[in-house]
Amino acid sequence: MDYYKIGKVEAIALILILMLNRLILTLPKNMYLLTGNSILINAVWVIFLMFLFVFLLIKISKKFVGQDLIDIAEFVGGKFLKVIISTAYIVFFVSISGIILRDFVEGIKILYYSQIPTWLLASLILVIPVVANLHGGNSVIKFNSIIVFITLISLLVILISSTTTYVPQKFFPILGNGINETFFEGATNIYAFSGFCFLFFVMPLLKSSKDFKKIGIISTIIGSIYLFFTLASLLFSFSSLVSVYEISPIYLIMRSTDFGIFFQRPDAIFVFTWILTLMSYLSVVIMFTSIIFKKITNIKTTKYLPYILVSLILIICLIPSNLAQIKTLEDTYYRYFNVVLVFIISPIILVIANFKKRKSMEGAKIEKNL
Amino acid sequence: MNNNIKQFFKKLFEYKDSTPYNFTLPETQEEKSELNTFSNFPPEEANTPNNSEAKEVFPTLSVNMEIIKSRYNTLINSDIIIRSFSLTARDKEYSAFLLYIDGMIDATSVNHFVLDPLMLRNTANTYKDSNIVETRTAISNNIVLKKVKKFNLADYIYKHLVPQNSVKKLTEFDEIASSVNSGNCVLFVDTLNIVFDIDAKGFKQRSVDKPDNEIVIRGPHEAFVEAIRTNTSLLRRIVNNEKLIIENLEIGELSQTKCAVCYMENIANSDLVAEVKYRLNNINIDYLTSAGQLEQLIEDNGKVSLPQLIATERPDKASNYLLEGRVIILLNGSPYALIAPGTFLDFLSSPEDYNLKYKFSNFLKMLRILAVLITLLLPGLYVAITNFHQEFIPTELLFSIVASREAVPFPIFFELLIMEISFELIREAGLRVPSPIGPTIGIVGALVLGQAAVDASIVSPILIIIVAITAIASFAIPDFSLGFHCRIARFSYVILGYLFGFLGIAITFSIHAIILCSLKSFGVPYLQPFVPVTKNFKGILLSPPWKRENRADFLNVKRQKRQDNISMKWKT
C-alpha cells in the first residue's frame, strides 16, 4: 500500500473520524447514563484531562520524530513489546470496529431496513473499506478528509438547529449522579476521545513533524467543541427518560427539531452522511491495522489484508445476539480497554522511552567527554 | 418471333450454375496460407519488391525512381506524380524528377518557383565557369597559393536554383515519404545522393471558424482547425511570447501523425513536460487519427470513465492553461487540443469564466456543481426516497407522488429506467439524424412520447419532471466527457438506491469518491487543490482578477507568481 505524506487537514480528519462516529452513535448516551445531569461539568473535566494528555503526548513525542508507537515500543522493550503493543492495537481496532458496526447496523435496521438481515447490511457497509484500501492508503486518507468535512457540517447543522428546543433548567441538579460519578468515575469518559489513539500512529505519515503539535491541539479543540455541544443538546433537549432510548441521541435530537415545511424530517439525509462516516472510519481503521500488521510481520504487500480484516470485523460484528449485549460490550469492554490501552499503557511506553532516550544520550555525552 | 419464344424458354429452363458467391476473409495466418495455395494470386510477399527496403538515396536517378515507383505503387496509385525533366546548372544539363501528391501541393508555387527556375534558362543556371572555384589566394615566396573548392551541384541548387523559403536536404527514403505524404514536393537530381524537400503545401483545408461546442458570449470566436500548423499559429498569436515552445513529434508507425507539444519554457514544470513527451514517444501503434484516441492512450487510468485530460477547441482557453503552466498537445487532423494535467475543477470551468465578472463566474460555477450533483443523484434519490425514506419529503408531496403513480403498473425503478433509456435514445437519435430533422426528434421525443407515456399510464408525470431536470442539468455540465461520465454513473446510483435506499446511494457515492481520490492526471491528484488542500488554496470559486497572484501550486511551476500583490497600481 502506498502512502504519501499528509498535511495538517488530512491528519486532523484522521484523528477526528473515530470520535465523530462515537458521537453519532451511543457515546453521549453512555456518558449521560454515568453522570446524569452533571454531564456538562463532566465534559469540561474530561476536556481538561484530554488537553493535559495531548500536551503531555506532544512533549514526550518530541524526541521521536517520524516514529510511531510501534517503533517506540520496539525501542523500549525490543521486539517482544513491539509485538505485544501491535497485537493489542490490532485487537482493539478490529474488535471496536466490529462493535461500532453492529451498533450502527442495528440502528439503521430499526429505522429503515427492518426487512434486510444484519449480516447483509454489515457486509454492504464493509464493501467500502475494502474498495478504499485496495485503491491505496492515499485514497483512504483523501476520502476520509472529504467525509469528515461533510460530517462536521451535518453535525453542526443539527446542533445549531437544536438550540431552539433547549430548556436550560435541565442543567439542574448540577452534580447529577454525584461527585464521584462526575469527576472520579466520570474521568473514564475520556474514552470519548478514543479516536486520538491515531495520534500515536500519524507521526510517520506527516509532511512536517513540526505540525504534530498543531494537529494535536486543533483536533482536540474541534473534538471538544463537538463533544460539548452534543452533550449540551442531549441534556437541554430531552428528559433523562428519553436519553436512555436505544437509538442514537443525535438522531433523536434531529427528529425533535423543526426544519421547516419542505424538509419535514431530514433525518434520512443525516443518516446518509453518518453511513459515509462509518465507512470512512472503517477504511481508516483497516489502513492503520494494515500498517501495524506490516510492521510486525515480514509480508511484502498488504494488498489482500483488507479482505481478512474485513472478514474478522464482520465476524465480531455478528457475534452479539442482541442490542443489550452490544450496549454492555460498549459500556464495559470498549470503555475500559480503550482507557487502559490508549490513555494509560501507550503514554507509559512513551514516558519510559523518553527516560531511556535521555539515559542513552547522557551515556553518549559521558563517553564523548571521556 | 419463333426465335424469341425459343430463346425465352431456353433461358427459362437452362441450367444455371447455382454456386453462390462466397467471399470470406481468412481469420488466421494458417487459413491465409491455405487460401494462398489454392489461389491464383501469388503470395503477398512476392508482390513486394526488394526496392522498398532501400533506406538511403542512391546517386543514380533511375534507381531512385524505381524505388519510389515501387514504394508508392505508382502503377496503381493515381495521385502520385513523378515529373521527369532536365535541369540546367552552370549550363550543364542534369536529369531530375519531382515527386509529389496531386491535390496536396500548390500547383502555382511548384510551377513558378520550382520548375521555372530549374528548367528555364536564366542567369543563374546558365552562368559559365570552370569546375574550380577559388576561395582564397595567398602569395608566399613569390609562389601563388590558391585554395580551391570543387563545384558542388547540391549546394549550387540549394543556393541558386530553388527560390523557396523552406527547403531541406534529405537522404533517407523514410524521410522523403513522410515529407511527400505531408504535402511537400521532393526533387531528385541525377548524380546526387541527397534530395531537396521543398515546402509547397497547397491542400484544401477548413478555415478558422467559430467554435461549435464551446460557445461563449464575451470571448473570442475562434476555434482550432484540423491543420496543426494553423493551430500552433493560433496559440502563438495569443501567447505572443518567445518562451512558448512547440515541439513536434510523430505518432503512429504507419500514419506518422504529426503531434505538437506546446509549453511555456519559463513556466511549465520540466518533469511534467518530460512526462508528456515520454508518454507520447512511447505509443506503439500503427495509426492515430484523433485527439480522443490519443487522450485514451496517454491518460493515467484508462479503466475510469472520468476525463483526465482537458479537451478544448478554443485557442484562448488553451492559451490560458498554457500560461498557467500546463502542457498542450495538438494533433494534426484534430480540431481539439488536449491539456495536461486535468483536475476535477477544470472540468467544471468554462472558457467564459475569465471573460465575466468573477461574481457571475462563481454563480455559474455553483450552478454547474449543482448540475453535476443533480445529474448524478436526483434519479437515485427519487427512487431511494419513494422506496425507503418517504418521511423525508412533505406529506402533501408524498400524496401527490402516490396519486400520480396510482395508475402506473410498474415499480418506480422500472418506470425510471424506461424514461432514462428513452431520453438517452432521443439524445443519441438527435445527434445522428440530419440537422434539419434534429428539432423534430426533440419535439417528438420530449413532447409526444412524454405526454403519450403519461396518458398511457406507463410513467407518472412527476417522473417526467425528474428525468427532465436531470437532462437539463446534464447539459449544464461544461465538459462533454464529464457530462457523459455523470450520465452513465447515475444508473448505478439508481440501481443501488432502489435496492438499499440511502445506504445504496452512500455506497455508490463512496466508491465514486474513492475513485476520484485515487485518480491522478500526469502526477497531479485529481481532486487538487482541495483534496489534499494545497498551500495557496483559496476555495473552489474564482478569486477576483486582482487577487490571482499565484499560479496553481499543485503544478509546481517554475514561475509561481502570476502578478504583483498589488496588480492595480493605478489605484495606489
Side-chain angles (χ1 to χ4, degrees):
Chain A
M1 213 184 278
D2 56 319
Y3 302 99
Y4 77 118
K5 292 286 175 186
I6 59 173
K8 277 178 276 189
V9 178
E10 291 95 51
I12 291 168
L14 280 179
I15 290 159
L16 285 177
I17 186 71
L18 177 57
M19 188 177 178
L20 291 175
N21 264 289
R22 301 296 304 138
L23 278 182
I24 290 162
L25 297 172
T26 48
L27 172 85
K29 191 199 75 186
N30 291 344
M31 287 177 78
Y32 185 85
L33 283 176
L34 181 68
T35 59
N37 285 26
S38 64
I39 183 113
L40 285 184
I41 296 171
N42 175 257
V44 174
W45 169 233
V46 165
I47 289 167
F48 170 72
L49 289 178
M50 189 60 204
F51 268 102
L52 279 183
F53 173 77
V54 168
F55 281 118
L56 175 78
L57 190 67
I58 291 164
K59 183 117 177 120
I60 56 182
S61 301
K62 265 184 187 169
K63 286 177 186 164
F64 300 96
V65 174
Q67 287 180 303
D68 61 14
L69 186 69
I70 309 301
D71 301 323
I72 298 167
E74 193 178 13
F75 173 71
V76 173
K79 277 197 173 172
F80 177 73
L81 190 62
K82 181 186 172 182
V83 172
I84 293 285
I85 288 293
S86 304
T87 315
Y89 266 100
I90 290 172
V91 171
F92 173 64
F93 284 148
V94 172
S95 56
I96 295 308
S97 303
I99 295 170
I100 289 176
L101 177 64
R102 181 64 186 271
D103 192 4
F104 191 86
V105 167
E106 289 296 338
I108 57 169
K109 210 177 160 195
I110 293 168
L111 295 172
Y112 303 111
Y113 305 106
S114 51
Q115 303 296 316
I116 302 176
T118 309
W119 66 267
L120 181 59
L121 282 174
S123 311
L124 281 170
I125 291 170
L126 285 171
V127 166
I128 299 306
V130 175
V131 173
N133 279 278
L134 287 179
H135 275 85
N138 297 346
S139 310
V140 174
I141 293 165
K142 287 180 199 168
F143 173 59
N144 182 59
S145 314
I146 299 172
I147 301 305
V148 167
F149 179 71
I150 295 171
T151 314
L152 286 177
I153 288 178
S154 80
L155 271 179
L156 198 67
V157 170
I158 297 166
L159 296 178
I160 289 171
S161 47
S162 71
T163 49
T164 51
T165 58
Y166 277 15
V167 180
Q169 286 80 358
K170 287 178 182 165
F171 189 62
F172 299 103
I174 287 178
L175 285 177
N177 293 348
I179 290 182
N180 181 45
E181 281 75 11
T182 308
F183 293 104
F184 301 107
E185 208 178 322
T188 56
N189 276 346
I190 199 169
Y191 87 110
F193 290 93
S194 56
F196 282 65
C197 61
F198 291 139
L199 261 176
F200 296 121
F201 301 100
V202 89
M203 185 77 109
L205 301 174
L206 293 180
K207 262 182 205 164
S208 161
S209 54
K210 285 175 189 168
D211 290 339
F212 186 69
K213 189 179 174 182
K214 278 184 191 170
I215 291 161
I217 293 169
I218 294 171
S219 37
T220 314
I221 291 170
I222 297 173
S224 304
I225 291 170
Y226 273 87
L227 177 73
F228 185 82
F229 284 102
T230 309
L231 295 174
S233 302
L234 186 69
L235 178 69
F236 293 136
S237 304
F238 302 112
S239 67
S240 53
L241 283 174
V242 177
S243 51
V244 294
Y245 279 180
E246 298 305 341
I247 298 170
S248 152
I250 292 259
Y251 181 79
L252 288 179
I253 293 169
M254 200 170 52
R255 286 288 292 268
S256 64
T257 312
D258 186 15
F259 283 92
I261 300 164
F262 190 78
F263 292 110
Q264 285 181 342
R265 279 178 55 196
D267 37 312
I269 206 85
F270 291 106
V271 172
F272 167 71
T273 61
W274 299 343
I275 296 170
L276 294 176
T277 316
L278 181 70
M279 287 168 175
S280 181
Y281 159 69
L282 292 170
S283 309
V284 170
V285 159
I286 287 173
M287 183 190 83
F288 276 117
T289 314
S290 302
I291 293 175
I292 297 169
F293 193 79
K294 201 181 177 187
K295 284 204 167 183
I296 54 166
T297 54
N298 285 327
I299 52 167
K300 277 186 181 172
T301 174
T302 53
K303 201 181 169 185
Y304 302 104
L305 207 54
Y307 294 111
I308 300 163
L309 293 172
V310 155
S311 310
L312 282 173
I313 291 172
L314 184 66
I315 292 165
I316 291 167
C317 157
L318 296 175
I319 288 173
S321 52
N322 52 46
L323 260 172
Q325 281 185 9
I326 302 164
K327 301 299 165 197
T328 316
L329 276 173
E330 274 194 340
D331 214 28
T332 51
Y333 170 78
Y334 181 70
R335 183 190 288 260
Y336 295 109
F337 191 7
N338 195 315
V339 171
V340 170
L341 184 65
V342 180
F343 296 99
I344 297 172
I345 294 176
S346 303
I348 286 173
I349 289 171
L350 278 169
V351 171
I352 296 170
N354 261 275
F355 282 126
K356 199 176 174 184
K357 190 113 185 171
R358 195 184 289 172
K359 265 195 175 178
S360 65
M361 281 165 82
E362 277 171 5
K365 261 186 190 176
I366 293 164
E367 267 182 24
K368 250 189 183 180
N369 291 335
L370 284 171
Chain B
M1 181 69 182
N2 203 6
N3 210 10
N4 281 349
I5 293 168
K6 207 176 167 183
Q7 283 290 325
F8 173 77
F9 279 104
K10 195 180 175 187
K11 271 187 184 175
L12 197 66
F13 297 109
E14 191 183 36
Y15 170 75
K16 285 169 196 160
D17 189 3
S18 61
T19 316
Y21 179 75
N22 189 14
F23 171 72
T24 318
L25 269 179
E27 281 179 12
T28 58
Q29 281 299 320
E30 292 80 42
E31 226 177 298
K32 197 174 174 183
S33 53
E34 257 175 46
L35 276 178
N36 278 338
T37 51
F38 297 111
S39 162
N40 290 328
F41 295 107
E44 215 168 83
E45 289 75 26
N47 266 338
T48 319
N50 289 334
N51 285 338
S52 61
E53 286 167 13
K55 282 186 176 174
E56 299 277 328
V57 175
F58 292 93
T60 317
L61 192 70
S62 56
V63 176
N64 289 334
M65 189 180 281
E66 278 309 308
I67 291 167
I68 289 293
K69 277 182 177 174
S70 75
R71 191 160 181 147
Y72 273 101
N73 268 321
T74 49
L75 286 174
I76 310 165
N77 255 334
S78 58
D79 60 343
I80 307 297
I81 310 292
I82 297 175
R83 168 74 168 92
S84 301
F85 61 97
S86 293
L87 70 82
T88 314
R90 295 214 169 187
D91 223 15
K92 269 192 174 179
E93 287 203 346
Y94 296 88
S95 297
F97 73 84
L98 205 60
L99 169 71
Y100 59 88
I101 300 173
D102 193 18
M104 290 194 76
I105 52 117
D106 178 18
T108 320
S109 294
V110 173
N111 288 342
H112 292 300
F113 305 108
V114 180
L115 290 173
D116 265 11
L118 290 170
M119 293 173 75
L120 299 183
R121 292 175 73 80
N122 53 47
T123 47
N125 59 25
T126 55
Y127 178 70
K128 268 189 180 176
D129 197 5
S130 65
N131 280 354
I132 309 294
V133 178
E134 266 179 41
T135 54
R136 236 167 74 190
T137 311
I139 299 169
S140 164
N141 298 333
N142 291 332
I143 301 164
V144 181
L145 297 170
K146 286 181 179 175
K147 193 177 181 184
V148 293
K149 189 182 164 190
K150 216 177 170 188
F151 168 66
N152 187 327
L153 179 61
D155 278 353
Y156 189 79
I157 293 172
Y158 184 79
K159 286 178 182 168
H160 301 284
L161 298 183
V162 202
Q164 280 282 330
N165 62 350
S166 173
V167 179
K168 282 184 209 160
K169 290 175 187 172
L170 305 178
T171 54
E172 286 186 9
F173 277 105
D174 284 344
E175 292 174 340
I176 293 166
S178 168
S179 175
V180 171
N181 295 343
S182 67
N184 287 0
C185 66
V186 173
L187 174 68
F188 285 81
V189 182
D190 201 12
T191 71
L192 293 183
N193 58 353
I194 58 157
V195 298
F196 299 93
D197 168 27
I198 304 162
D199 188 354
K201 290 186 189 79
F203 43 80
K204 294 279 175 282
Q205 60 187 50
R206 191 162 66 95
S207 58
V208 175
D209 207 348
K210 282 185 178 179
D212 290 329
N213 301 322
E214 290 175 274
I215 301 156
V216 295
I217 297 164
R218 290 186 61 177
H221 295 283
E222 274 183 337
F224 285 125
V225 291
E226 284 76 8
I228 194 168
R229 219 19 95 207
T230 314
N231 293 344
T232 53
S233 71
L234 284 169
L235 282 181
R236 279 247 180 246
R237 224 172 53 202
I238 299 171
V239 173
N240 194 23
N241 191 294
E242 70 280 6
K243 295 288 181 192
L244 168 60
I245 306 288
I246 298 176
E247 285 186 48
N248 269 10
L249 300 167
E250 278 170 1
I251 303 171
E253 201 80 3
L254 296 177
S255 67
Q256 296 276 308
T257 313
K258 285 201 167 43
C259 175
V261 180
C262 320
Y263 57 92
M264 295 300 292
E265 194 192 12
N266 56 341
I267 300 175
N269 186 314
S270 309
D271 289 345
L272 172 66
V273 176
E275 180 65 24
V276 172
K277 286 196 280 188
Y278 172 76
R279 291 191 192 183
L280 289 171
N281 279 320
N282 286 284
I283 296 172
N284 192 12
I285 54 168
D286 269 1
Y287 63 91
L288 183 70
T289 50
S290 76
Q293 208 181 337
L294 180 64
E295 185 185 347
Q296 294 173 64
L297 288 166
I298 59 171
E299 66 190 2
D300 288 61
N301 190 344
K303 290 175 192 165
V304 178
S305 62
L306 281 154
Q308 290 153 61
L309 281 111
I310 309 161
T312 181
E313 54 173 350
R314 298 187 63 86
D316 58 323
K317 184 176 172 181
S319 306
N320 274 334
Y321 280 113
L322 202 59
L323 291 161
E324 280 296 308
R326 315 242 185 159
V327 180
I328 312 288
I329 303 159
L330 296 166
L331 192 76
N332 199 24
S334 174
Y336 275 87
L338 297 176
I339 301 165
T343 62
F344 186 68
L345 269 190
D346 296 326
F347 299 103
L348 294 175
S349 311
S350 152
E352 188 81 300
D353 287 353
Y354 284 95
N355 305 324
L356 297 175
K357 286 198 172 208
Y358 73 98
K359 292 160 195 161
F360 305 157
S361 305
N362 286 338
F363 173 69
L364 292 175
K365 199 171 230 178
M366 295 307 290
L367 275 183
R368 287 182 217 126
I369 293 170
L370 188 67
V372 170
L373 290 175
I374 289 174
T375 312
L376 274 178
L377 298 173
L378 186 65
L381 283 177
Y382 175 74
V383 174
I385 289 168
T386 46
N387 276 314
F388 288 90
H389 313 284
Q390 294 90 348
E391 77 288 347
F392 183 71
I393 47 177
T395 321
E396 293 79 8
L397 182 61
L398 190 66
F399 280 151
S400 80
I401 292 173
V402 173
S404 70
R405 293 204 70 255
E406 205 174 21
V408 180
F410 307 115
I412 286 180
F413 172 69
F414 188 66
E415 194 188 349
L416 188 78
L417 223 54
I418 291 174
M419 276 321 289
E420 288 288 2
I421 291 170
S422 309
F423 172 72
E424 290 298 329
L425 280 173
I426 293 165
R427 194 199 301 242
E428 188 61 16
L431 279 175
R432 302 284 160 250
V433 294
S435 48
I437 318 169
T440 324
I441 289 280
I443 293 162
V444 172
L447 297 177
V448 181
L449 269 183
Q451 189 58 44
V454 171
D455 289 344
S457 297
I458 296 171
V459 292
S460 62
I462 286 190
L463 193 90
I464 299 276
I465 297 169
I466 298 285
V467 173
I469 293 172
T470 313
I472 291 166
S474 75
F475 286 125
I477 300 170
D479 188 84
F480 176 74
S481 301
L482 183 65
F484 221 128
H485 166 80
C486 292
R487 276 161 54 197
I488 294 171
R490 77 171 188 269
F491 284 105
S492 46
Y493 282 92
V494 170
I495 295 166
L496 282 169
Y498 173 68
L499 291 174
F500 306 108
F502 277 0
L503 175 64
I505 303 268
I507 290 170
T508 325
F509 179 81
S510 300
I511 293 174
H512 212 158
I514 290 163
I515 290 169
L516 282 169
C517 290
S518 66
L519 260 190
K520 273 187 175 184
S521 173
F522 285 85
V524 174
Y526 199 60
L527 290 180
Q528 289 273 27
F530 52 93
V531 180
V533 178
T534 58
K535 217 200 274 176
N536 292 332
F537 178 58
K538 287 181 179 175
I540 54 169
L541 300 178
L542 202 66
S543 4
W546 59 88
K547 279 190 178 172
R548 295 172 198 162
E549 288 101 2
N550 294 303
R551 291 188 167 82
D553 51 2
F554 58 83
L555 289 171
N556 208 0
V557 288
K558 289 177 187 165
R559 195 183 157 109
Q560 192 64 52
K561 212 82 176 143
R562 183 161 39 185
Q563 61 195 31
D564 276 347
N565 283 346
I566 298 170
S567 53
M568 297 196 296
K569 291 224 161 108
W570 57 271
K571 258 192 169 179
T572 54

